[in-house]
Amino acid sequence: MQKSLVKESLVKESKRISNWMMLLLASACGLIVANLYYAQTLVGPIGAAMGLSSAVAGLIVTLTQIGYVAGLLFIVPLSDIIENRRLAVVALAVVVCALLAATFAPNGALFLIASLFIGLGSVVAQILVPYATYLAAEEQRGRVVGNVMSGLLLGIMFARPVASFITSLWGWQAVFSLSAVVITLLAVLLSRALPERKPSPTVNYGKLILSLGVLFKQTPVLRRRAFYQACLFGAFSLFWTTVPLRLADDFGMSQQGIALFALVGVGGAVAAPIAGKLADKGWTRLLTGLAMVIAAISFLLIYLFQDHSTIALVILFISAITLDMAVSGNLVLGQRAIYSLGSEARGRLNGLFMSIFFIGGAVGSSLGGWAYAYSGWSFTALIGVVLPLLSLLYFLTEKNH
């Protein structure tokens, strides 16, 4: 009896993920996902260099996001049937090739194709997040997801200002070539450092993809968490799509000033590990509602204070932090909830979850651009209030188990 207890405790201990591995996975996720956002502040100079109109240049970001959603639906599910380390390294090789193609693209058409493949390969980040939960013990799963996701969120938030800074020094091509070097080194490191994780597939790839619809239909937790996050990420995308226009038009900020403002959002990433730890203690429901309320209040404040005063600017800064905290915190809560459903479908569940809320982000970004052009900041901020309130109304129908 005593021997079996000792053996059980040793198994649990061996299942605990090390701090070094957690740091590696968090850093990897941040460096990989940053590739989706570098071009957002570089559309102008890239469009000018490639001879693209402003409308066509806008497709650079759109195609990157389309590639990412396609990867979430068709590549991430492979992590349920293919050895994860090998899958991650192969996908990173695709990213490196696409980054080099973008660097040396002779025309706009080739650059747009490269953008699509940058998004497609960057889904490695969403293979590594559930992979981290595979390495973790049940009691530390929320903390692990929180820490790894904070790395991913820092990558998102730092990407724009870093891209602007590098471009000001060496030109936009340097952003893509430097990232190609970094991702190459990362792929080598991951191939050596990651332990093997070979799932036991029960279906072939065709049935795996078809099972996505079944999983969505039969998993109410997934539907709820995806809708919650789609609304919040929609508000997040709406904010970061239109706030540079507001800062330039109403406060006369330069591109450098806007890049510095983008760094404010980094403060919101602290919510991810905190939310993960509290979720491990059973606070998921309370924190979910709180995240929605904070997001709605963030937009309500910038709706109420929309003049050109210093107070309005300060409130814009504060709201950027609180909105990012709400979105990043709720993301970790959602991922922890769906990862707790079982390991055999974790890759597919994560792919569905991420693709749905990314679609929400695309809708929010489009709504923001349209609203700002149509009726200015006031109407835009009002839509920003409505999106988290929609998720809150749906949340109130959730049964308290």
Side-chain angles (χ1 to χ4, degrees):
M1 180 70 180
Q2 191 173 358
K3 284 183 179 180
S4 64
L5 287 172
V6 171
K7 187 177 179 182
E8 187 179 335
S9 67
L10 286 172
V11 169
K12 284 186 175 181
E13 188 63 34
S14 65
K15 187 72 173 170
R16 295 185 69 85
I17 188 171
S18 69
N19 289 332
W20 145 249
M21 183 58 71
M22 215 182 317
L23 177 62
L24 173 62
L25 291 170
S27 302
C29 286
L31 291 168
I32 293 164
V33 84
N35 288 300
L36 299 174
Y37 298 92
Y38 289 139
Q40 286 193 341
T41 54
L42 308 180
V43 167
I46 293 171
M50 296 290 175
L52 302 174
S53 67
S54 57
V56 177
L59 286 174
I60 294 170
V61 176
T62 304
L63 283 171
T64 307
Q65 302 287 11
I66 288 171
Y68 195 69
V69 171
L72 287 168
L73 291 174
F74 298 108
I75 294 177
V76 170
L78 284 170
S79 64
D80 288 336
I81 60 173
I82 290 178
E83 200 280 304
N84 285 194
R85 181 179 58 193
R86 182 158 36 106
L87 178 62
V89 172
V90 170
L92 287 179
V94 172
V95 177
V96 171
C97 292
L99 287 167
L100 291 173
T103 303
F104 300 108
N107 55 59
L110 188 56
F111 188 91
L112 290 171
I113 293 170
S115 297
L116 181 73
F117 279 93
I118 287 171
L120 189 71
S122 293
V123 293
V124 175
Q126 296 310 323
I127 293 170
L128 295 180
V129 177
Y131 177 87
T133 66
Y134 159 76
L135 296 176
E138 173 63 34
E139 67 272 11
Q140 62 168 176
R141 186 166 290 154
R143 182 172 69 89
V144 169
V145 173
N147 286 335
V148 173
M149 285 306 298
S150 63
L152 185 143
L153 292 163
L154 285 171
I156 293 174
M157 293 164 187
F158 273 119
R160 301 177 187 91
V162 165
S164 296
F165 177 70
I166 292 173
T167 301
S168 68
L169 292 177
W170 302 302
W172 64 265
Q173 290 95 338
V175 176
F176 296 95
S177 58
L178 285 171
S179 183
V181 172
V182 169
I183 298 300
T184 300
L185 294 172
L186 180 64
V188 173
L189 180 58
L190 291 177
S191 69
R192 294 176 178 274
L194 293 183
E196 187 180 68
R197 193 245 158 169
K198 191 174 177 68
S200 303
T202 54
V203 292
N204 60 31
Y205 181 69
K207 289 181 179 177
L208 192 77
I209 297 303
L210 289 174
S211 72
L212 292 175
V214 177
L215 273 175
F216 181 76
K217 185 179 179 181
Q218 295 181 349
T219 317
V221 173
L222 170 66
R223 294 198 301 272
R224 278 193 171 273
R225 298 308 317 193
F227 182 80
Y228 297 162
Q229 192 61 22
C231 288
L232 291 188
F233 196 62
F236 175 90
S237 297
L238 178 142
F239 179 87
W240 286 107
T241 298
T242 55
V243 81
L245 302 173
R246 157 92 157 136
L247 293 171
D249 296 344
D250 297 341
F251 298 99
M253 274 197 187
S254 65
Q255 199 62 38
Q256 284 184 330
I258 293 168
L260 288 172
F261 181 89
L263 286 173
V264 172
V266 173
V270 301
I274 295 171
K277 287 180 182 177
L278 293 177
D280 286 339
K281 296 180 179 179
W283 290 29
T284 298
R285 182 175 169 81
L286 174 64
L287 292 174
T288 299
L290 186 62
M292 296 166 183
V293 171
I294 288 172
I297 291 174
S298 299
F299 268 104
L300 184 61
L301 286 172
I302 55 182
Y303 173 77
L304 294 174
F305 295 87
Q306 49 183 286
D307 55 18
H308 303 173
S309 66
T310 305
I311 292 174
L313 183 60
V314 169
I315 286 174
L316 208 56
F317 270 82
I318 294 170
S319 293
I321 297 170
T322 54
L323 177 64
D324 286 6
M325 288 180 72
V327 175
S328 60
N330 193 67
L331 175 56
V332 170
L333 297 173
Q335 286 188 297
R336 188 190 185 282
I338 64 169
Y339 292 162
S340 299
L341 298 174
S343 60
E344 66 283 348
R346 201 169 284 166
R348 281 169 287 166
L349 289 168
N350 188 55
L352 278 169
F353 175 69
M354 298 296 292
S355 57
I356 290 166
F357 94 66
F358 247 83
I359 291 168
V363 170
S365 185
S366 301
L367 273 176
W370 169 78
Y372 192 86
Y374 175 75
S375 194
W377 181 250
S378 178
F379 186 44
T380 306
L382 201 56
I383 294 174
V385 175
V386 170
L387 286 172
L389 285 181
L390 283 175
S391 65
L392 184 62
L393 286 173
Y394 186 40
F395 169 72
L396 292 175
T397 68
E398 182 179 315
K399 292 178 181 177
N400 189 9
H401 297 293

